Amino acid sequence: MTAQSLKSFLTNEFVDQASDTLAADGFISDEHDFAPYRETVSTHVESIQNALQDRGFDIELSAGFVKGKDTYAYFIYDTDRFVDSTAAKAAVSRWLDRRD
């Protein structure tokens, strides 16, 4: 699958919701209602980080992928909120499990 273009999702509304979700949970998954589909968040992690930083949200993001029991998800996460990618994957997995 091909990632969506930045123009298709990187709006003020997306950045607002992304900053709120990152502040609350520390990650954004493609399973969030406001997020673009599939690997798009991972593909454009640097551009998303830059958009957030332009708004004064001091954050460094990294990307990941996790396979849950019934689904899989691409995600980006705040590297200051999680010790490593394994911890971020565990948090995303728990979030996915609660959604089912």
Side-chain angles (χ1 to χ4, degrees), residues 3 7 15-16 38 40 50 53 63 70-72 76 78 97:
K7 191 188 320 185
V15 175
D16 289 343
R38 296 288 236 220
T40 302
N50 291 339
Q53 289 174 342
D70 294 328
T71 188
Y72 56 93
I76 57 177
D78 180 348
D97 288 348

Side-chain angles (χ1 to χ4, degrees), residues 10 15-16 18-19 22 45-62 78-80:
L10 196 58
V15 175
D16 289 343
S19 63
L22 286 163
V45 63
E46 187 175 332
S47 295
I48 295 168
Q49 176 179 293
N50 291 339
L52 289 162
Q53 289 174 342
D54 288 348
R55 290 271 199 90
F57 195 55
D58 185 25
I59 192 166
E60 185 167 330
L61 299 173
S62 191
D78 180 348
T79 59
D80 286 338

Side-chain angles (χ1 to χ4, degrees), residues 4 13 17 27 38 40 42 52 54 67 75 81 90 97:
Q4 292 172 242
E13 182 180 351
Q17 291 179 313
F27 64 88
R38 296 288 236 220
T40 302
S42 298
L52 289 162
D54 288 348
K67 184 170 181 357
F75 65 93
R81 292 276 298 269
D97 288 348

Side-chain angles (χ1 to χ4, degrees), residues 26-41:
F27 64 88
I28 298 168
S29 163
D30 66 321
E31 295 293 319
H32 280 92
D33 292 336
F34 69 90
Y37 193 64
R38 296 288 236 220
E39 74 268 16
T40 302
V41 292

